[in-house]
Amino acid sequence: MCKLEMELTAVDCAPVAAPRKAAALKGALFLFFILTRALHPMLIDMSKVDGKMLYAKNAPVVMNKVLTVLLMNLVAFLGGGTQGVRQCWQPRCMAVFGLIGTIYAL
C-alpha cells in the first residue's frame, strides 16, 4: 500500500470513529443517569433509622457542592497542574462564578 493510500484510509476511518465514540459516551451517560435516578430513593430509605433521617435535609446538597469543588480542582490539576488550579481560584473568576452561584441559589 502506498503512502497516499494509507493516508486516505486513515482519513476515511476517522469520521466513522467519532460518531461511535459519541454514541458510546451518550449511552454511558444515559446509563449513569438511570442508575443515579434508580439508586437515589433506595439510598434515602437506607439512610433512615426508625423512619427518620439522621442528617439535615440540606446536608446532601452541601456535601455535593464540596465534592464538586474538590473534583473540579482535581480535573484542573490533572489538566494544567498547579497553574490550572490557580486559574480556578483567581479573584475575577471567583467574583463571576460567585455571582452566578448566588443568583442560582436564590
Side-chain angles (χ1 to χ4, degrees):
M1 181 181 293
C2 72
K3 184 177 179 183
L4 180 60
E5 288 175 355
M6 287 176 24
E7 288 175 9
L8 286 175
T9 304
V11 170
D12 291 341
C13 293
V16 174
R20 286 185 183 160
K21 285 183 181 179
L25 181 61
K26 284 181 185 178
L29 289 173
F30 182 68
L31 287 174
F32 177 74
F33 177 78
I34 290 172
L35 280 173
T36 56
R37 296 297 176 183
L39 293 176
H40 183 254
M42 185 174 65
L43 291 174
I44 290 174
D45 287 341
M46 288 172 48
S47 68
K48 293 180 181 178
V49 175
D50 296 328
K52 296 182 181 179
M53 290 188 285
L54 299 178
Y55 53 87
K57 286 188 177 185
N58 64 348
V61 174
V62 171
M63 286 307 298
N64 176 287
K65 299 311 166 200
V66 168
L67 291 174
T68 299
V69 169
L70 292 175
L71 178 64
M72 291 302 107
N73 276 284
L74 177 64
V75 169
F77 180 76
L78 293 174
T82 55
Q83 182 62 28
V85 176
R86 276 192 222 115
Q87 287 177 344
C88 292
W89 293 98
Q90 291 178 6
R92 183 172 158 249
C93 294
M94 295 295 289
V96 169
F97 288 106
L99 179 62
I100 292 169
T102 303
I103 292 170
Y104 180 70
L106 297 176

